Amino acid sequence: MTTLHAHVVLLVGGVGGAKLAVGLANVLPPGALSIIVNTGDDFEHLGLHISPDLDTVLYSLSDLANPQTGWGIANDTFHAMEMVGQYGGPTWFRLGDRDLATSLARTSMLREGKSLTEVTRHLATALGIEHAVLPMTDQSVQTRIETGDGCLAFQEYFVRERWQPIAQSIRFEDVENARPSQAVQQALGEATLIIFGPSNPFLSIDPILAIPGIRDTIAGSPVPCIAVSPIIGGQAVKGPAAKLMAELGHDVSSLGIATYYQDLLDGIILDTVDVEMCEEIEKLHIRAIARNILMTTLVEKTELAASLLQCIEEI
Ligand code: GDP
Ligand code: CA
């Protein structure tokens, strides 16, 4: 299996994609997996560079993640936040004490002039992670959500407004000035399989595809590209993916996901509850394969990863 898939490249945002990353990390040897992570949610807060999706991936791969919240470190304490609150500072974006240390370390290394890619490699190595965790770019790109009540920065939309405003469109500020890092280019160039994780298509995968060159590289790549659907039975497992799909005029289903990524995909893995959609998806010339794609346990993550690698033989 591993010789056939010498280099798997996985595109992800946070929670959903990170679960598949854990599964793949379990079945692939070090060096055989590169995870390209969305940084469109990154922002400057309390003077620190916060990278929510990178942290979710790092904490998931090092078994530190808090499965209840989907962000932060399990059993973290919040003393620093409480003190910030006492000073009248902002507490709407929660950062645990240990989680805060990640952002402190990241920010200080960035200030020393290291790139986000170098800093992330340092953090990953220190956490004992043996697979490559790659920010989509070293430049700053900010996801913005255009709503009826004006344009919201990602964290305003997601955390402060709890994704309740109705989205009209989404854009990635400064993306035209960004470029894929050398590491991302190399990973895509050496890929023998490209996977879109079960992440939010608009908020997690689209920002990566919007980095100049990435979409074209994937579209032109001779290797299979497969998505794992983030939608099960017409619903997102977590977060605003289904709500956004409806608001932006897409069919809220794995068929909608396949259609949205149509020009890039060779295959899609959808849930067994959605098996009746396979026929319609295959009319798009995308191989559709039904599996259990709800990943609650480590066993489910690992089984999905293993069956994904096996599916390649069928595609
Ligand atoms: P975020 O930055 O944490 O929002 O990260 P993602 O975009 O990677 O994850 C959110 C998406 O993950 C949502 O669309 C969920 O439906 C999806 N998701 C979460 N858990 C699972 C799961 O166990 N299986 C599948 N198929 N999708 C999941
Ligand atoms: Ca995110």
Side-chain angles (χ1 to χ4, degrees), residues 141-167:
V141 174
Q142 307 103 48
T143 297
R144 301 217 186 279
I145 295 92
E146 208 67 65
T147 74
D149 312 322
C151 180
L152 298 176
F154 179 80
Q155 299 300 340
E156 293 172 341
Y157 167 79
F158 199 83
V159 181
R160 201 189 66 201
E161 304 294 330
R162 293 169 205 276
W163 43 275
Q164 291 314 298
I166 293 174

mmCIF file of all heavy atoms in Angstrom, residues 141-167:
data_model
loop_
_atom_site.group_PDB
_atom_site.id
_atom_site.type_symbol
_atom_site.label_atom_id
_atom_site.label_comp_id
_atom_site.label_asym_id
_atom_site.label_seq_id
_atom_site.Cartn_x
_atom_site.Cartn_y
_atom_site.Cartn_z
ATOM 1 N N VAL A 141 -2.866 36.008 3.841
ATOM 2 C CA VAL A 141 -4.108 35.988 3.055
ATOM 3 C C VAL A 141 -5.237 35.962 4.085
ATOM 4 O O VAL A 141 -5.173 35.199 5.035
ATOM 5 C CB VAL A 141 -4.184 34.714 2.179
ATOM 6 C CG1 VAL A 141 -5.532 34.609 1.481
ATOM 7 C CG2 VAL A 141 -3.046 34.673 1.164
ATOM 8 N N GLN A 142 -6.237 36.817 3.918
ATOM 9 C CA GLN A 142 -7.307 36.846 4.919
ATOM 10 C C GLN A 142 -8.657 36.560 4.290
ATOM 11 O O GLN A 142 -9.095 37.259 3.382
ATOM 12 C CB GLN A 142 -7.365 38.204 5.620
ATOM 13 C CG GLN A 142 -6.055 38.680 6.216
ATOM 14 C CD GLN A 142 -5.413 39.743 5.343
ATOM 15 O OE1 GLN A 142 -6.065 40.689 4.935
ATOM 16 N NE2 GLN A 142 -4.130 39.568 5.033
ATOM 17 N N THR A 143 -9.299 35.543 4.818
ATOM 18 C CA THR A 143 -10.642 35.199 4.359
ATOM 19 C C THR A 143 -11.630 36.233 4.873
ATOM 20 O O THR A 143 -11.612 36.581 6.060
ATOM 21 C CB THR A 143 -11.028 33.802 4.875
ATOM 22 O OG1 THR A 143 -10.128 32.852 4.314
ATOM 23 C CG2 THR A 143 -12.459 33.438 4.505
ATOM 24 N N ARG A 144 -12.471 36.745 3.957
ATOM 25 C CA ARG A 144 -13.494 37.725 4.346
ATOM 26 C C ARG A 144 -14.852 37.262 3.854
ATOM 27 O O ARG A 144 -14.978 36.757 2.747
ATOM 28 C CB ARG A 144 -13.187 39.092 3.759
ATOM 29 C CG ARG A 144 -11.847 39.637 4.201
ATOM 30 C CD ARG A 144 -11.921 41.147 4.415
ATOM 31 N NE ARG A 144 -10.608 41.684 4.699
ATOM 32 C CZ ARG A 144 -10.020 41.649 5.896
ATOM 33 N NH1 ARG A 144 -10.651 41.113 6.914
ATOM 34 N NH2 ARG A 144 -8.821 42.137 6.065
ATOM 35 N N ILE A 145 -15.842 37.455 4.710
ATOM 36 C CA ILE A 145 -17.187 37.006 4.367
ATOM 37 C C ILE A 145 -18.074 38.231 4.162
ATOM 38 O O ILE A 145 -18.236 39.059 5.055
ATOM 39 C CB ILE A 145 -17.771 36.082 5.463
ATOM 40 C CG1 ILE A 145 -16.947 34.789 5.531
ATOM 41 C CG2 ILE A 145 -19.206 35.694 5.157
ATOM 42 C CD1 ILE A 145 -15.832 34.772 6.489
ATOM 43 N N GLU A 146 -18.599 38.321 2.940
ATOM 44 C CA GLU A 146 -19.510 39.409 2.585
ATOM 45 C C GLU A 146 -20.901 38.992 3.037
ATOM 46 O O GLU A 146 -21.407 37.951 2.628
ATOM 47 C CB GLU A 146 -19.460 39.585 1.061
ATOM 48 C CG GLU A 146 -19.751 40.972 0.554
ATOM 49 C CD GLU A 146 -18.686 41.998 0.945
ATOM 50 O OE1 GLU A 146 -17.528 41.882 0.486
ATOM 51 O OE2 GLU A 146 -19.046 42.901 1.723
ATOM 52 N N THR A 147 -21.502 39.768 3.932
ATOM 53 C CA THR A 147 -22.847 39.422 4.425
ATOM 54 C C THR A 147 -23.780 40.599 4.175
ATOM 55 O O THR A 147 -23.326 41.683 3.793
ATOM 56 C CB THR A 147 -22.825 39.150 5.951
ATOM 57 O OG1 THR A 147 -22.685 40.400 6.640
ATOM 58 C CG2 THR A 147 -21.698 38.223 6.349
ATOM 59 N N GLY A 148 -25.061 40.382 4.422
ATOM 60 C CA GLY A 148 -26.043 41.457 4.293
ATOM 61 C C GLY A 148 -25.694 42.642 5.189
ATOM 62 O O GLY A 148 -26.009 43.789 4.869
ATOM 63 N N ASP A 149 -25.023 42.369 6.313
ATOM 64 C CA ASP A 149 -24.666 43.438 7.262
ATOM 65 C C ASP A 149 -23.240 43.926 7.057
ATOM 66 O O ASP A 149 -22.635 44.466 7.980
ATOM 67 C CB ASP A 149 -24.789 42.940 8.718
ATOM 68 C CG ASP A 149 -26.097 42.223 8.977
ATOM 69 O OD1 ASP A 149 -27.115 42.672 8.439
ATOM 70 O OD2 ASP A 149 -26.087 41.207 9.717
ATOM 71 N N GLY A 150 -22.674 43.711 5.895
ATOM 72 C CA GLY A 150 -21.319 44.190 5.618
ATOM 73 C C GLY A 150 -20.314 43.065 5.586
ATOM 74 O O GLY A 150 -20.663 41.892 5.745
ATOM 75 N N CYS A 151 -19.057 43.456 5.404
ATOM 76 C CA CYS A 151 -17.988 42.489 5.231
ATOM 77 C C CYS A 151 -17.365 42.146 6.585
ATOM 78 O O CYS A 151 -17.015 43.021 7.361
ATOM 79 C CB CYS A 151 -16.939 43.089 4.295
ATOM 80 S SG CYS A 151 -15.581 41.983 4.000
ATOM 81 N N LEU A 152 -17.247 40.864 6.886
ATOM 82 C CA LEU A 152 -16.689 40.432 8.167
ATOM 83 C C LEU A 152 -15.355 39.726 7.968
ATOM 84 O O LEU A 152 -15.210 38.918 7.045
ATOM 85 C CB LEU A 152 -17.650 39.472 8.873
ATOM 86 C CG LEU A 152 -19.035 40.002 9.261
ATOM 87 C CD1 LEU A 152 -19.882 38.883 9.846
ATOM 88 C CD2 LEU A 152 -18.906 41.139 10.266
ATOM 89 N N ALA A 153 -14.404 40.034 8.830
ATOM 90 C CA ALA A 153 -13.165 39.258 8.867
ATOM 91 C C ALA A 153 -13.536 37.859 9.366
ATOM 92 O O ALA A 153 -14.541 37.684 10.064
ATOM 93 C CB ALA A 153 -12.157 39.909 9.800
ATOM 94 N N PHE A 154 -12.724 36.868 9.005
ATOM 95 C CA PHE A 154 -13.090 35.486 9.304
ATOM 96 C C PHE A 154 -13.451 35.258 10.772
ATOM 97 O O PHE A 154 -14.482 34.671 11.089
ATOM 98 C CB PHE A 154 -11.971 34.520 8.888
ATOM 99 C CG PHE A 154 -12.327 33.108 9.220
ATOM 100 C CD1 PHE A 154 -13.164 32.384 8.405
ATOM 101 C CD2 PHE A 154 -11.875 32.526 10.399
ATOM 102 C CE1 PHE A 154 -13.540 31.094 8.733
ATOM 103 C CE2 PHE A 154 -12.246 31.237 10.741
ATOM 104 C CZ PHE A 154 -13.080 30.523 9.905
ATOM 105 N N GLN A 155 -12.604 35.697 11.695
ATOM 106 C CA GLN A 155 -12.866 35.406 13.107
ATOM 107 C C GLN A 155 -14.074 36.170 13.639
ATOM 108 O O GLN A 155 -14.740 35.717 14.566
ATOM 109 C CB GLN A 155 -11.635 35.697 13.983
ATOM 110 C CG GLN A 155 -10.398 34.873 13.627
ATOM 111 C CD GLN A 155 -10.594 33.375 13.746
ATOM 112 O OE1 GLN A 155 -11.494 32.893 14.424
ATOM 113 N NE2 GLN A 155 -9.763 32.613 13.056
ATOM 114 N N GLU A 156 -14.361 37.346 13.050
ATOM 115 C CA GLU A 156 -15.587 38.074 13.435
ATOM 116 C C GLU A 156 -16.801 37.242 13.049
ATOM 117 O O GLU A 156 -17.748 37.087 13.816
ATOM 118 C CB GLU A 156 -15.652 39.429 12.717
ATOM 119 C CG GLU A 156 -14.573 40.405 13.144
ATOM 120 C CD GLU A 156 -14.527 41.678 12.298
ATOM 121 O OE1 GLU A 156 -15.074 41.687 11.168
ATOM 122 O OE2 GLU A 156 -13.938 42.652 12.756
ATOM 123 N N TYR A 157 -16.743 36.715 11.825
ATOM 124 C CA TYR A 157 -17.856 35.886 11.333
ATOM 125 C C TYR A 157 -17.975 34.601 12.152
ATOM 126 O O TYR A 157 -19.043 34.244 12.648
ATOM 127 C CB TYR A 157 -17.623 35.560 9.859
ATOM 128 C CG TYR A 157 -18.516 34.468 9.305
ATOM 129 C CD1 TYR A 157 -19.830 34.737 8.945
ATOM 130 C CD2 TYR A 157 -18.030 33.168 9.137
ATOM 131 C CE1 TYR A 157 -20.651 33.739 8.436
ATOM 132 C CE2 TYR A 157 -18.846 32.166 8.635
ATOM 133 C CZ TYR A 157 -20.153 32.450 8.284
ATOM 134 O OH TYR A 157 -20.950 31.450 7.795
ATOM 135 N N PHE A 158 -16.852 33.930 12.319
ATOM 136 C CA PHE A 158 -16.880 32.566 12.835
ATOM 137 C C PHE A 158 -17.043 32.514 14.360
ATOM 138 O O PHE A 158 -17.877 31.783 14.882
ATOM 139 C CB PHE A 158 -15.595 31.847 12.428
ATOM 140 C CG PHE A 158 -15.696 30.358 12.495
ATOM 141 C CD1 PHE A 158 -16.254 29.642 11.445
ATOM 142 C CD2 PHE A 158 -15.229 29.644 13.591
ATOM 143 C CE1 PHE A 158 -16.349 28.257 11.482
ATOM 144 C CE2 PHE A 158 -15.324 28.261 13.646
ATOM 145 C CZ PHE A 158 -15.883 27.567 12.591
ATOM 146 N N VAL A 159 -16.255 33.283 15.055
ATOM 147 C CA VAL A 159 -16.251 33.201 16.518
ATOM 148 C C VAL A 159 -17.205 34.237 17.125
ATOM 149 O O VAL A 159 -18.094 33.888 17.893
ATOM 150 C CB VAL A 159 -14.818 33.363 17.081
ATOM 151 C CG1 VAL A 159 -14.807 33.255 18.604
ATOM 152 C CG2 VAL A 159 -13.890 32.310 16.479
ATOM 153 N N ARG A 160 -17.015 35.504 16.745
ATOM 154 C CA ARG A 160 -17.826 36.546 17.392
ATOM 155 C C ARG A 160 -19.305 36.420 17.009
ATOM 156 O O ARG A 160 -20.176 36.435 17.871
ATOM 157 C CB ARG A 160 -17.286 37.935 17.026
ATOM 158 C CG ARG A 160 -17.696 39.016 18.008
ATOM 159 C CD ARG A 160 -17.326 40.400 17.511
ATOM 160 N NE ARG A 160 -18.088 40.735 16.311
ATOM 161 C CZ ARG A 160 -17.731 41.669 15.432
ATOM 162 N NH1 ARG A 160 -16.630 42.372 15.619
ATOM 163 N NH2 ARG A 160 -18.474 41.921 14.379
ATOM 164 N N GLU A 161 -19.594 36.266 15.721
ATOM 165 C CA GLU A 161 -20.999 36.202 15.257
ATOM 166 C C GLU A 161 -21.509 34.764 15.163
ATOM 167 O O GLU A 161 -22.639 34.530 14.737
ATOM 168 C CB GLU A 161 -21.152 36.881 13.890
ATOM 169 C CG GLU A 161 -20.687 38.334 13.826
ATOM 170 C CD GLU A 161 -21.537 39.273 14.673
ATOM 171 O OE1 GLU A 161 -22.743 38.988 14.852
ATOM 172 O OE2 GLU A 161 -20.988 40.266 15.177
ATOM 173 N N ARG A 162 -20.667 33.817 15.548
ATOM 174 C CA ARG A 162 -21.038 32.384 15.533
ATOM 175 C C ARG A 162 -21.692 31.963 14.214
ATOM 176 O O ARG A 162 -22.724 31.291 14.183
ATOM 177 C CB ARG A 162 -21.961 32.051 16.709
ATOM 178 C CG ARG A 162 -21.253 32.187 18.029
ATOM 179 C CD ARG A 162 -22.204 32.117 19.208
ATOM 180 N NE ARG A 162 -21.648 32.817 20.352
ATOM 181 C CZ ARG A 162 -20.778 32.284 21.225
ATOM 182 N NH1 ARG A 162 -20.389 31.050 21.092
ATOM 183 N NH2 ARG A 162 -20.307 32.997 22.210
ATOM 184 N N TRP A 163 -21.135 32.410 13.124
ATOM 185 C CA TRP A 163 -21.542 32.143 11.738
ATOM 186 C C TRP A 163 -23.036 32.260 11.475
ATOM 187 O O TRP A 163 -23.589 31.603 10.604
ATOM 188 C CB TRP A 163 -20.931 30.863 11.174
ATOM 189 C CG TRP A 163 -20.891 29.627 12.039
ATOM 190 C CD1 TRP A 163 -19.934 29.307 12.960
ATOM 191 C CD2 TRP A 163 -21.815 28.532 12.055
ATOM 192 N NE1 TRP A 163 -20.205 28.091 13.532
ATOM 193 C CE2 TRP A 163 -21.347 27.595 13.005
ATOM 194 C CE3 TRP A 163 -22.978 28.238 11.362
ATOM 195 C CZ2 TRP A 163 -22.014 26.388 13.276
ATOM 196 C CZ3 TRP A 163 -23.649 27.045 11.640
ATOM 197 C CH2 TRP A 163 -23.166 26.143 12.591
ATOM 198 N N GLN A 164 -23.690 33.194 12.197
ATOM 199 C CA GLN A 164 -25.122 33.385 11.975
ATOM 200 C C GLN A 164 -25.462 34.327 10.809
ATOM 201 O O GLN A 164 -26.473 34.130 10.132
ATOM 202 C CB GLN A 164 -25.814 33.845 13.282
ATOM 203 C CG GLN A 164 -25.853 32.745 14.346
ATOM 204 C CD GLN A 164 -26.294 31.403 13.769
ATOM 205 O OE1 GLN A 164 -27.414 31.262 13.265
ATOM 206 N NE2 GLN A 164 -25.397 30.403 13.785
ATOM 207 N N PRO A 165 -24.638 35.377 10.523
ATOM 208 C CA PRO A 165 -24.985 36.235 9.379
ATOM 209 C C PRO A 165 -25.047 35.436 8.077
ATOM 210 O O PRO A 165 -24.317 34.456 7.910
ATOM 211 C CB PRO A 165 -23.822 37.248 9.323
ATOM 212 C CG PRO A 165 -23.251 37.253 10.696
ATOM 213 C CD PRO A 165 -23.430 35.845 11.208
ATOM 214 N N ILE A 166 -25.929 35.863 7.184
ATOM 215 C CA ILE A 166 -26.074 35.142 5.906
ATOM 216 C C ILE A 166 -24.976 35.595 4.940
ATOM 217 O O ILE A 166 -24.806 36.783 4.675
ATOM 218 C CB ILE A 166 -27.482 35.382 5.325
ATOM 219 C CG1 ILE A 166 -28.494 34.710 6.264
ATOM 220 C CG2 ILE A 166 -27.600 34.844 3.901
ATOM 221 C CD1 ILE A 166 -29.932 34.964 5.945
ATOM 222 N N ALA A 167 -24.234 34.628 4.449
ATOM 223 C CA ALA A 167 -23.105 34.938 3.557
ATOM 224 C C ALA A 167 -23.594 35.170 2.129
ATOM 225 O O ALA A 167 -24.472 34.457 1.639
ATOM 226 C CB ALA A 167 -22.100 33.793 3.583
#
